[in-house]
Amino acid sequence: MKLLRFGPPGRESVGAVDRDGRLRDLSSAVPDLHLPTLGLAGLKRLRRLDPSDFPVVRGRPRLGVPFTGISKFVAIGLNYADHAAEAGLAVPAEPIVFLKATTCISGPQDPVRLPAGSTRGDWEVELGVVIGRTARAVDEHDALAHVAGYTVVNDVSEREWQLERGGTWDKGKGFDTFGPIGPWLVTADEVPDPQALSLWLDLNGEPRQRGSTATMVFGVARLVSYVSRVMTLLPGDVIATGTPPGVGMGMKPPRYLRTGDVMTLGIEGLGSQRQRVI
């Protein structure tokens, strides 16, 4: 099932995409997609609904983050060997884990605002793994049973703050609007193999990133298991699983985000995003 939230910020309604790609209003059946409340059992009940039984949403409303209740926004660095190479860094022996601030989260079509003085804003299309059941030190073979579904993430970064201002990566990853999520939460039953999805990102209509989750250094099951040993994962938490090559930092010469740029990005079966840089 492809679930989403639509409408003005703070007043979103629940929707779903039907078999013909039309947006349906599910708000009469579910008040909000709050994953800590719904959990896997609640999502299972929602999957029994037929979106065609609900009214079509007219026009092109704003899409919000497709679910609520995100307590942690975890991200994985250098999880594609070819991206590590373009960054001039070694392929990690264990997952590199950092956090994006939950205040950076925004809708999939909302503008991305560069912070004052930013000169090295960058893009990163990533598969987002959405947790549906509390995961604490889970085994890898059981890890995917804790996943509610998948979504698209743009792990927007400010490379100067990430790499040159001392300390952790978190500083360059957590600026407001640096975490677009959506357009949909695609439930796990519709993604039988999360390691077989193509990813892409264009800048101003020009191809930049092309990749596949098949080339991840650490797969989704390994990441959920690993992170759950570092911190307890709760329903609604998101893990952004790393980006394929083609980021601005890796270009020769580097090409960083400027006001007026438009990023479009997506993942096979999970929908697409579009953000204007302001």
Side-chain angles (χ1 to χ4, degrees):
M1 197 171 193
K2 297 178 176 66
L3 296 164
L4 54 91
R5 295 166 65 251
F6 65 94
R11 294 189 287 122
E12 292 93 344
S13 299
V14 177
V17 178
D18 68 16
R19 296 182 187 89
D20 298 317
R22 292 173 296 187
L23 173 57
R24 301 280 184 157
D25 186 347
L26 267 60
S27 57
S28 62
V30 55
D32 200 4
L33 289 174
H34 184 252
L35 288 188
T37 300
L38 287 170
L40 293 180
L43 288 177
K44 185 176 182 179
R45 290 192 296 271
L46 283 180
R47 293 204 308 269
R48 298 192 188 110
L49 300 176
D50 184 349
S52 64
D53 292 336
F54 295 84
V56 173
V57 177
R58 303 299 177 185
R60 298 176 64 87
R62 170 190 174 268
L63 299 183
V65 179
F67 52 92
T68 62
I70 304 172
S71 76
K72 289 185 288 298
F73 193 177
V74 184
I76 308 299
L78 305 179
N79 198 32
Y80 289 73
D82 35 13
H83 170 55
E86 72 175 350
L89 298 169
V91 175
E94 292 193 33
I96 294 174
V97 179
F98 61 93
L99 295 175
K100 290 178 73 76
T102 54
T103 48
C104 84
I105 295 170
S106 58
Q109 301 167 344
D110 294 340
V112 166
R113 181 182 297 275
L114 296 176
S118 173
T119 60
R120 299 185 186 178
D122 209 343
W123 55 84
E124 295 189 15
V125 59
E126 305 200 5
L127 173 66
V129 179
V130 183
I131 301 300
R133 186 173 73 180
T134 299
R136 183 182 299 110
V138 299
D139 291 331
E140 187 171 339
H141 75 271
D142 190 42
L144 295 185
H146 293 74
V147 172
Y150 302 90
T151 191
V152 182
V153 170
N154 189 355
D155 176 18
V156 184
S157 310
E158 215 299 334
R159 301 299 190 191
E160 179 185 357
W161 281 90
Q162 177 189 356
L163 301 171
E164 300 177 19
R165 301 294 290 263
T168 68
W169 286 10
D170 302 44
K171 291 189 295 184
K173 300 284 191 169
F175 289 101
D176 290 355
T177 74
F178 272 30
I181 296 176
W184 312 320
L185 168 63
V186 180
T187 52
D189 59 296
E190 291 199 9
V191 186
D193 185 359
Q195 304 307 148
L197 304 174
S198 59
L199 306 85
W200 60 273
L201 182 145
D202 294 347
L203 182 69
N204 302 326
E206 298 182 1
R208 287 293 177 262
Q209 290 187 276
R210 296 292 186 271
S212 170
T213 58
T215 65
M216 283 182 180
V217 178
F218 307 105
V220 170
R222 174 75 185 280
L223 292 175
V224 172
S225 174
Y226 187 94
V227 175
S228 78
R229 297 174 187 276
V230 175
M231 63 191 80
T232 298
L233 295 169
L234 302 175
D237 288 351
V238 178
I239 302 175
T241 56
T243 198
V247 300
M249 179 176 63
M251 297 179 67
K252 300 188 185 306
R255 164 58 159 101
Y256 294 114
L257 292 171
R258 309 176 188 128
T259 298
D261 283 341
V262 175
M263 296 176 282
T264 52
L265 57 144
I267 300 178
E268 178 183 0
L270 305 185
S272 61
Q273 302 185 354
R274 181 183 187 275
Q275 297 109 27
R276 180 174 294 276
V277 178
I278 62 174

